[in-house]
Amino acid sequence: QVPLVESGGGLVQAGGSLRLSCAASGRIYSSAVMGWFRQTPGKEREFVALIRWSSGTTLYADSVKGRFTISRDKPNNTVYLLMNDVKPEDAAVYYCARGHQFSSSQRDYDYWGQGTQVTVSS
């Protein structure tokens, strides 16, 4: 198992920045794909960004492209999501997940963190 623990959520002003972290307690193997998803009450969980662990290849949802950056720290088995120019619609619970497909579908991810809340003040 690779328990995932997110951190870094909190209150941010619209236009501001926030960096989320996702630490894995075990080793993340090179075949893994790490993703960030988000969910607001009453809505489906939606894809935000992903990174292929081995190559660092990334993919972003159109809604965050150019504002968010996903990155990884391989020695420390940690994934980051840097959120710049945060908008009110970015407010959500953000989840980190591990999968093995280069996929934006949550069905392709088998381990999930507990989530971290991001609140945006306008």
Side-chain angles (χ1 to χ4, degrees):
Q1 290 191 347
V2 185
L4 303 171
V5 179
E6 302 96 336
S7 61
L11 177 65
V12 59
Q13 210 164 16
S17 298
L18 202 63
R19 190 178 79 159
L20 307 183
S21 300
C22 170
S25 62
R27 179 186 169 190
I28 299 176
Y29 288 92
S30 60
S31 60
V33 173
M34 300 300 295
W36 284 98
F37 292 78
R38 66 187 182 187
Q39 189 171 24
T40 53
K43 290 192 175 181
E44 290 275 318
R45 192 172 298 184
E46 67 170 355
F47 167 74
V48 175
L50 65 83
I51 187 165
R52 190 184 296 278
W53 195 251
S54 57
S55 64
T57 305
T58 60
L59 181 69
Y60 295 93
D62 288 343
S63 58
V64 307
K65 203 174 294 183
R67 300 187 298 119
F68 291 11
T69 302
I70 187 171
S71 61
R72 76 212 191 291
D73 178 349
K74 295 177 80 173
N76 290 304
N77 294 298
T78 301
V79 182
Y80 300 101
L81 184 70
L82 176 62
M83 307 166 61
N84 289 325
D85 188 23
V86 174
K87 302 179 186 300
E89 54 264 38
D90 294 322
V93 176
Y94 282 73
Y95 297 91
C96 172
R98 189 209 72 177
H100 293 285
Q101 305 271 359
F102 197 79
S103 168
S104 60
S105 171
Q106 59 177 315
R107 290 188 292 272
D108 291 318
Y109 292 78
D110 52 3
Y111 286 110
W112 292 81
Q114 297 293 320
T116 186
Q117 176 74 51
V118 172
T119 303
V120 182
S121 64
S122 53

